[in-house]
Amino acid sequence: MSEDSENEDYSDGAISDEDESDEDTFAKIVSEDLHQCAFLTGDSISDPPFPWTTQILLEYQLGRWLPRLREPRDLYGVSSSGPLSPTWWPYHCEVIDEKVQHIDWTPSYSEPVYLPTGLEVEPLYPNSKEDTVVYLAEDAYKEPCFVYSRVGGNRTPLKQPVDNCDPTLMFEARFESGNLQKVVKVAEYEYQLTLRPDLFTNKHTQWFYFQVTNTQAGRVYRFTIINFTKTASLYSRGMRPLFYSEQEAKAHHIGWQRIGDQIKYYRNNPGQDGHHYFSLTWTFQFPHSNDTCYFAHCYPYTYTYLQEYLSSINNDPVRSKFCKIRVLCHTMARNMVYVLTITSPLQNTDSRKPKAVVLTARVHPGETNSSWIMQGFLDFILGDSSDAQLLRDTFIFKVVPMLNPDGVIVGNYRCSLAGRDLNRNYTTLLKELFPSIWYTRNMIRRLMEKREVLLYCDFHGHSKKENIFMYGCGGSDQCKALSLQQRIFPLMLSKNCPDKFSFSACKFNVRKSKEGTGRVVMWKMGIRNSFTMEASFCGSTLGKKRGTHFNTKDLESMGYHFCDSLLDYCDPDRAKYYQCLKELEEMQKHINLEKVLDDSDTLLKEIALDPESSSQGSDSSESNDSQTYFLKLTSPIKNKKKHLNTKKERNSAIASLRNASQEQEVCDKGHLVQRHRESNSEVEAKTNQDIFLEAEKKPIQGIIQPTSTGLYGNCFRGMSLKCTRSKQTPNQLD
């Protein structure tokens, strides 16, 4: 079902509801009580024959068959009247019958990171036949690759303690997004845990989420996870595991909270394959006896939770008017990948085509913090504030909130059921193997044929660095002016959110190993503002949030700040835009000076434009002189933040100030052009000077002298400029 079938004032028709949709899948998804109904066929009745059709049903009433039309299909995939579409699992995966749910709660204070005492121990457990295996999930290894799926997986009852007097903890992870492979009891209150690798792989052990029952209050338990593979971890920098108690939730309405003492991340003995693994150990006392508790690497955000959230939007008579939910495609396991189109109905008086913004999340299943940022964005953009209305009036938002639902359901950390990292396959031609990636890329390509896509951003989580930051794509040496423009939005975001977002941790380059990522592929397709936003699993090292963990409200607030920065970027009052451009020029001059002073480029590798493989944290206190210089440049502007007005207020202000400021504006812009040319000419070689100036004139003129006089006609004017040396057509990607 194509979006063109909807009201054209609402949709750009750039995507389809899976052009080659599976009719059998839809028939199973739509829940309809047929009673004694039957599909009408030519053999159904002996009276005048009817043609074969699935749109007419026969209902047996009062001794005879009566034909009636079938109810229309639910295009949203989240029914307003029936149950949610079911979750499809690989057929061999065991799944418990009990449904796991958690309350939505945020602590009233920022939870501090763990400060090592130096007394933490590194338990190493030799293999012993006397150890008791209390949990073992062997179902994941029944098949070497994905075969087929079934609704709900292989249902199995929850295991119960054999003896009520046995104090042994009971573990469980056979539920949606759960991950735990094996638990061995090595002492009375000590347990050794092994995580399950991503299905159909032998690696990517990072995400954990499991249940613990038969607890005893007042006892100090030790948990040690023994098969992490990353040499560096935020657990070494103070990150604590997450804990949830059902009794605390019922009695005190307390949800997920950071816990743990004697936290240590360390290298352990090599495994049987000769590779070294790393362990995470912590101690903890349960608050209640006979409680049902959970531990997790990050705040869980399941596929079912997303469906419930989308269903609430669909059932809202206000939000559903400007947010259309469609099925972009189906995954290998036949789960739905949703795409949201958010915009206000186009007014007849406005003939301009609104520009587009594309946002995606959860391509890596274990990076649940990306889903919380996405939900914060959706909460704001679908809200009733004047700024949200202004954004909906100005843009068309295409949002894919969960790119890898299969991986989310089975509890993978990084891969899909193909056993591959989807964010390295945006150039793929294998639609059946990577359907969500293929359809997302195709949707964006078709969208670009009808309108300009101003910004693309893919939300992620980061396991080695603190803070929130972005990866962008740098321009060539002959397009330095355009390269600076691509850094304006992240710089604005750092000013709007100075205690969470670190501009000094942002990087703007394209490495060969990243050429298959969404960020790079979209950039090569022509989207100049193409970013990956990375959110730390831990917390912040900046401002008032320094030394604390991010909670769900912190992550959701980034969705609001993203919208706020987008408004700043598009503000007809270009003061913020030009101020950020000036700061970036100063940063570039500082970098160029270091290039001249240090031929080996040692300093350059340590500043904000270093290669993306760097494992350094983004703590400003540990940054080198260049990063400290960046922060000093940006810090004075924080107190001078100019709050964006609504459209009506802006029009009034612009009309009153236009004549008075015109002469000064021309002077300032001319000075900016001159400074930009001078700063770059000082560091360019004489042999390349003419080439640089030729490529430089058009971007600068595009920034300073927009040709459109409409309110938003000059927004992103510089972004549409092309550099001939970096331009690629979409066909070249394949």
Side-chain angles (χ1 to χ4, degrees), residues 563-628:
C563 294
D564 190 32
S565 301
L566 189 57
L567 286 170
D568 286 345
Y569 192 84
C570 305
D571 197 336
D573 179 1
R574 308 298 281 166
K576 292 181 183 179
Y577 186 97
Y578 294 134
Q579 179 62 43
C580 289
L581 187 59
K582 290 178 183 178
E583 293 181 22
L584 290 169
E585 286 180 333
E586 292 297 325
M587 296 178 192
Q588 189 65 45
K589 288 173 64 177
H590 187 77
I591 295 171
N592 290 337
L593 181 60
E594 287 187 344
K595 283 184 179 180
V596 175
L597 297 177
D598 191 348
D599 295 335
S600 65
D601 290 340
T602 302
L603 294 178
L604 184 62
K605 295 179 181 179
E606 299 175 355
I607 60 178
L609 303 180
D610 61 347
E612 197 168 318
S613 61
S614 172
S615 60
Q616 294 180 350
S618 54
D619 188 346
S620 60
S621 65
E622 299 176 1
S623 302
N624 58 23
D625 293 339
S626 297
Q627 290 174 319
T628 305

Side-chain angles (χ1 to χ4, degrees), residues 94 127 138-139 154 168 193 251 277 301 344 349 379 387 400 490 563 628 633 647 675 679 704 732:
E94 295 181 355
N127 294 328
E138 296 180 310
D139 59 292
N154 184 11
T168 301
L193 290 73
Y277 292 93
Y301 196 107
S344 297
T349 57
D379 285 342
D387 284 345
V400 184
C563 294
T628 305
L633 278 174
K647 197 171 187 178
R675 285 180 58 249
S679 63
I704 303 302
Q732 290 175 309

Side-chain angles (χ1 to χ4, degrees), residues 614-670:
S614 172
S615 60
Q616 294 180 350
S618 54
D619 188 346
S620 60
S621 65
E622 299 176 1
S623 302
N624 58 23
D625 293 339
S626 297
Q627 290 174 319
T628 305
Y629 175 78
F630 288 176
L631 295 176
K632 288 181 179 179
L633 278 174
T634 58
S635 58
I637 306 300
K638 290 187 292 186
N639 296 329
K640 297 181 180 180
K641 183 179 183 297
K642 189 174 179 182
H643 296 287
L644 183 65
N645 295 323
T646 62
K647 197 171 187 178
K648 181 177 179 181
E649 292 169 334
R650 288 176 181 172
N651 286 338
S652 177
I654 292 172
S656 61
L657 296 176
R658 181 174 297 164
N659 294 332
S661 62
Q662 184 175 11
E663 182 177 353
Q664 182 63 34
E665 181 180 0
V666 172
C667 179
D668 290 343
K669 291 177 181 178

Side-chain angles (χ1 to χ4, degrees), residues 151 177 197 228 255 264 297 300 324 335 373 468 487 528-529 550 571 577 618 687 689 706 712:
V151 173
S177 295
F228 286 107
K264 182 80 172 181
H297 177 63
K324 295 302 181 183
N335 289 298
I373 295 176
I468 300 173
R487 307 179 191 196
R528 289 301 177 184
N529 284 298
F550 289 142
D571 197 336
Y577 186 97
S618 54
T687 56
Q689 205 168 38
Y712 287 95

